[in-house]
Amino acid sequence: AQSVTQPDIHITVSEGASLELRCNYSYGATPYLFWYVQSPGQGLQLLLKYFSGDTLVQGIKGFEAEFKRSQSSFNLRKPSVHWSDAAEYFCAVGAGGSYIPTFGRGTSLIVHP
Amino acid sequence: DAGVIQSPRHEVTEMGQEVTLRCKPISGHDYLFWYRQTMMRGLELLIYFNNNVPIDDSGMPEDRFSAKMPNASFSTLKIQPSEPRDSAVYFCASSLDRYQPQHFGDGTRLSIL
């Protein structure tokens, strides 16, 4: 069965520090990949997506992610975190017959001043 | 453009009562999804529709849950009878097609006493 793993439940960083959130998946075919962010009391908002082409994709709010087929990973990065980035981050992967995305469990980002 | 609209935003009711959650997807989106989010289980896909037709309801937890999409601009998720373990945040999302990112509503926070 297809699966998406976000190994870190919580990550704490200082404001201004760099950030990397991990996402691994298990699928045979080339997947469609997404990162979403969820602020408290709100729905999920798309940060970026990868369908094909350049494996380094840029998103909103200064985020980027890199698709590494050999590692089955799609890690999210930001060079300098702002306090407003504190939120829950979800990786989602669509593959197989339906391509309906499966969501990871999420990583909660805490930003210290 | 208006996003996905869910109502009500909050619902508190007593065990045994019928609960109806409502969703208006983005116009022109062919796919509609219902999710449930809890701390214990994360984000679960309950059911999704394509062109108003239910495609996969394997995530619906019990027969107490039912979902309908009578037209392209409206969907309901009904719980009858409700139980305390149904307490969660329920999200509706829509997408242009199965490959495109999903757009989420702000959710309905449901509390069953």
Side-chain angles (χ1 to χ4, degrees):
Chain A
Q2 55 194 30
S3 67
V4 182
T5 302
Q6 294 182 245
D8 303 305
I9 298 175
H10 303 280
I11 282 191
T12 302
V13 299
S14 297
E15 192 169 16
S18 64
L19 171 70
E20 183 170 31
L21 302 182
R22 296 182 291 166
C23 174
N24 295 96
Y25 61 88
S26 63
Y27 293 93
T30 300
Y32 288 17
L33 302 160
F34 309 88
W35 274 100
Y36 290 83
V37 61
Q38 183 182 26
S39 298
Q42 296 184 14
L44 281 67
Q45 178 188 15
L46 179 72
L47 283 175
L48 49 77
K49 63 185 180 185
Y50 172 80
F51 287 176
S52 65
D54 192 346
T55 56
L56 183 64
V57 293
Q58 302 298 319
I60 62 171
K61 306 185 181 189
F63 285 92
E64 66 177 26
E66 186 172 13
F67 169 52
K68 292 185 177 180
R69 185 188 306 275
S70 62
Q71 298 178 19
S72 297
S73 69
F74 189 56
N75 293 349
L76 182 70
R77 301 194 294 250
K78 187 170 186 178
S80 178
V81 171
H82 188 262
W83 63 266
S84 60
D85 293 325
E88 190 87 12
Y89 290 80
F90 292 89
C91 177
V93 181
S98 73
Y99 276 88
I100 299 300
T102 298
F103 284 79
R105 289 298 305 271
T107 297
S108 177
L109 175 64
I110 301 165
V111 180
H112 281 315
Chain B
D1 286 338
V4 174
I5 300 172
Q6 292 186 246
S7 64
R9 287 297 313 276
H10 303 273
E11 175 89 12
V12 180
T13 191
E14 293 188 346
M15 181 176 64
Q17 297 298 306
E18 178 178 288
V19 173
T20 300
L21 311 182
R22 296 172 176 81
C23 175
K24 176 179 170 57
I26 294 173
S27 177
H29 281 194
D30 288 341
Y31 279 76
L32 183 139
F33 305 84
W34 281 101
Y35 291 89
R36 179 173 67 176
Q37 185 178 39
T38 61
M39 291 291 292
M40 290 294 294
R41 301 174 70 90
L43 193 66
E44 301 174 272
L45 176 62
L46 301 177
I47 185 172
Y48 74 91
F49 295 82
N50 178 25
N51 291 324
N52 314 338
V53 177
I55 303 300
D56 184 353
D57 66 354
S58 60
M60 297 285 261
E62 299 173 36
D63 291 344
R64 299 183 295 105
F65 286 69
S66 63
K68 294 182 179 180
M69 192 166 185
N71 56 63
S73 59
F74 184 65
S75 178
T76 60
L77 178 68
K78 190 169 293 187
I79 308 173
Q80 168 63 15
S82 58
E83 297 183 4
R85 60 195 167 116
D86 301 331
S87 298
V89 181
Y90 291 81
F91 287 102
C92 176
S94 69
S95 65
L96 277 169
D97 59 49
R98 58 183 175 167
Y99 306 108
Q100 296 303 317
Q102 295 176 23
H103 297 254
F104 283 76
D106 284 334
T108 296
R109 182 172 295 277
L110 177 63
S111 296
I112 308 297
L113 306 177

